[in-house]
């Protein structure tokens, strides 16, 4: 593999490490041709960078700076070697770790990129790429472009993913502008101790309104949770698995910080009765003071769930009552086992 054009044209790149699928010269050439007028220097972010060939091609063609994200250590060593060969070491930063976590850090640093490549290994599910798309919008500079490579044709309109897709043999490349990457992301926070059918109904209804919903499993300081947040999140994940635009994460710290890092525009909460209003109103006002652009949106609980709460489920389960219908089917057995300890004592894990 060689650099195709620009100041480092013809430089031979280091051998491709095992397990890395490099973007072929043909696809790289076609991709830069397709970017055409949109490619005008600036800063570039190369996600799932592999050998770094795409970001290096961009540097060679005039990008001022490139950030490479690659979780494989051997591949990162190859990127560094390729930067040395092309003389671009000073104009690059190579980051390790999981793409989603690194994106969160870059958003936190206030970074903006003119060009973002996402070339995930084919074994990484399209759903993961969908999951990172909502963060890319906050990282993309005005007029910038995101180019996504995939081994399969993108699903029309899935999770707000539009843009122009071209096919090069078995590779599909989709180029999106910022306006095509409009993803309205909502965070749906809660303790979910445990998740109830009412929670799931709110999450499902939110997933139909917003492009992406991040369920944030947090800990309410006023209540002692029965299960660790990771376990509660696992239960939510299990019952929300059929919704492609819903992801579940554990939330530590402030909700507004969590939302900012995920590029969210809204907090979505369920509201059951007037009794919920006071505390929800207080939280919404406080969150708004800390992050005025973040709207809190309420979804009215369905009538059949208006009486339902996690605390009622805990009480019923701990006293040996029937919780069927109160919690989603997929977690019924687990909830029965875990929450059935008398006086709140957990049985099992
Ligand atoms: O299901 P819950 O118990 O009503 O959920 C409460 C939760 C976790 C959403 C709330 O306690 C929260 O937002 N915690 C994060 C910490 C925070 O941001 N506190 C300030 C909110 S005013």
């Amino acid at each position: 593999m060689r650099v195709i054009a620009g100041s480092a044209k013809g430089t031979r790149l280091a051998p491709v490490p095992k397990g890395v699928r490099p973007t072929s010269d043909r696809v790289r050439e076609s991709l830069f041709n397709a970017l055409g007028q949109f490619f005008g220097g600036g800063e570039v972010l190369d996600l799932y960078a592999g050998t770094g060939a795409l970001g290096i091609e961009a540097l060679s063609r005039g990008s001022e700076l490139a950030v490479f994200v690659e979780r494989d250590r051997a591949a990162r060593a190859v990127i560094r070697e390729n930067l040395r060969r092309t003389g671009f070491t000073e104009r690059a930063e190579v980051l390790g770790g999981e793409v989603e976590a690194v994106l969160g850090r870059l958003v936190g640093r206030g970074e903006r990129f003119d060009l973002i490549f996402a070339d995930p290994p084919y074994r990484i599910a399209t759903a993961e790429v969908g999951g990172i798309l909502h963060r890319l919008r906050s990282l993309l500079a005005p007029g910038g472009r995101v180019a996504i490579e995939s081994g399969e044709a993108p699903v029309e309109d899935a999770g707000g993913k539009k843009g122009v897709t071209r096919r090069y043999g078995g590779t599909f490349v989709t180029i999106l502008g910022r306006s095509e990457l409009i993803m309205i992301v909502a965070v749906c926070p809660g303790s979910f101790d445990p998740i109830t059918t009412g929670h799931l109904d709110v999450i499902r209804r939110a997933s139909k309104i917003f492009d992406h919903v991040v369920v944030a499993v947090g800990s309410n300081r006023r209540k002692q949770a029965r299960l660790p947040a990771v376990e509660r999140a696992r239960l939510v994940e299990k019952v929300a698995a059929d919704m492609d635009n819903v992801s579940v994460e554990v939330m530590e710290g402030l909700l507004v910080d969590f939302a900012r890092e995920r590029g969210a525009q809204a907090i979505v909460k369920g509201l059951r009765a007037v009794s919920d209003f006071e505390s929800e109103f207080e939280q919404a006002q406080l969150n708004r003071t800390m992050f005025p652009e973040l709207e809190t949106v309420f979804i009215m609980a369905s009538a059949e769930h208006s009486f339902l709460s996690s605390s009622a489920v805990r009480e019923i389960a701990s006293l040996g009552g029937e919780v069927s219908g109160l919690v989603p089917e997929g977690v019924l057995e687990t909830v029965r086992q875990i929450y059935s300890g008398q006086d709140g004592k957990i049985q099992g894990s």
Side-chain angles (χ1 to χ4, degrees):
M1 271 191 4
R2 288 175 188 272
V3 177
I4 300 164
S7 63
K9 181 179 174 180
T11 307
R12 186 186 286 277
L13 299 176
V16 177
K18 235 178 120 204
V20 170
R21 175 186 50 80
T23 305
S24 70
D25 286 358
R26 182 172 160 240
V27 174
R28 254 184 309 142
E29 174 131 41
S30 311
L31 172 55
F32 277 89
N33 287 342
L35 283 168
Q37 65 185 91
F38 301 120
F39 185 74
E43 298 193 6
V44 57
L45 176 63
D46 190 353
L47 302 171
Y48 308 97
T51 60
L54 279 173
I56 285 172
E57 189 68 38
L59 286 169
S60 178
R61 293 175 188 233
S63 286
E64 285 138 32
L65 216 115
V67 175
F68 297 85
V69 183
E70 172 55 54
R71 72 177 146 195
D72 184 77
R73 186 191 290 258
R76 289 201 298 278
V78 170
I79 297 172
R80 290 198 182 91
E81 169 60 17
N82 284 336
L83 288 167
R84 194 193 59 75
R85 290 183 183 199
T86 48
F88 296 146
T89 305
E90 298 301 313
R91 285 158 58 195
E93 187 178 4
V94 182
L95 302 174
E98 294 300 322
V99 163
E100 200 160 355
V102 174
L103 288 182
R105 293 212 305 272
L106 292 172
V107 172
R109 268 161 51 171
E111 299 269 357
R112 287 283 181 281
F113 297 93
D114 301 277
L115 191 55
I116 300 177
F117 295 118
D119 176 20
Y122 290 167
R123 71 189 135 76
I124 290 190
T126 319
E128 178 176 328
V129 181
I132 62 163
L133 266 187
H134 69 273
R135 296 206 182 170
L136 297 188
R137 190 173 145 75
S138 24
L139 285 169
L140 198 63
R145 286 292 179 276
V146 174
I148 298 168
E149 255 187 66
S150 165
E152 49 190 271
V155 182
E156 260 313 288
D157 233 24
K161 193 170 147 192
K162 299 161 186 103
V164 179
T165 299
R166 289 189 175 84
R167 182 181 182 162
Y168 308 105
T171 306
F172 294 84
V173 177
T174 305
I175 296 176
L176 304 115
R178 204 158 179 259
S179 62
E180 291 157 320
L181 207 66
I182 292 180
M183 299 275 293
I184 310 282
V185 178
V187 172
C188 185
S191 308
F192 304 104
D193 186 29
I195 180 158
T196 67
T197 45
H199 288 134
L200 192 60
D201 181 47
V202 168
I203 295 168
R204 195 173 296 285
R205 286 159 64 195
S207 79
K208 291 182 184 153
I209 301 170
F210 299 100
D211 293 314
H212 192 90
V213 176
V214 186
V215 181
V217 180
S219 297
N220 187 332
R221 294 201 168 203
R222 289 173 223 187
K223 306 176 201 163
Q224 169 74 43
R226 198 63 71 84
L227 272 184
V230 185
E231 304 277 330
R232 285 179 270 133
R234 209 168 285 153
L235 296 184
V236 179
E237 226 158 32
K238 190 168 177 200
V239 294
D242 64 310
M243 294 176 258
D244 327 332
N245 63 336
V246 174
S247 56
V248 183
E249 290 181 51
V250 167
M251 171 176 65
E252 279 153 5
L254 284 176
L255 172 58
V256 287
D257 291 339
F258 181 92
R260 192 178 279 118
E261 280 165 19
R262 278 141 194 90
Q265 293 95 317
I267 295 172
V268 60
K269 288 195 139 185
L271 202 60
R272 290 163 302 186
V274 182
S275 51
D276 280 344
F277 184 79
E278 204 171 309
S279 139
E280 291 300 345
F281 189 62
E282 181 188 314
Q283 288 180 58
Q285 298 295 15
L286 288 169
N287 287 329
R288 195 167 151 72
T289 311
M290 292 185 276
F291 187 174
E293 295 80 23
L294 186 69
E295 280 300 343
T296 299
V297 176
F298 292 100
I299 290 186
M300 299 303 152
S302 309
E304 68 267 33
H305 300 132
S306 54
F307 58 90
L308 183 53
S309 65
S310 294
S311 56
V313 168
R314 288 197 301 272
E315 186 166 325
I316 294 169
S318 72
L319 298 171
E322 183 49 66
V323 289
S324 165
L326 306 183
V327 298
E329 199 63 43
V331 297
L332 186 55
E333 253 338 289
T334 317
V335 170
R336 274 185 187 143
Q337 282 170 21
I338 293 176
Y339 290 83
S340 63
Q342 285 284 340
D343 299 327
K345 287 200 191 73
I346 303 165
Q347 293 179 351
S349 59

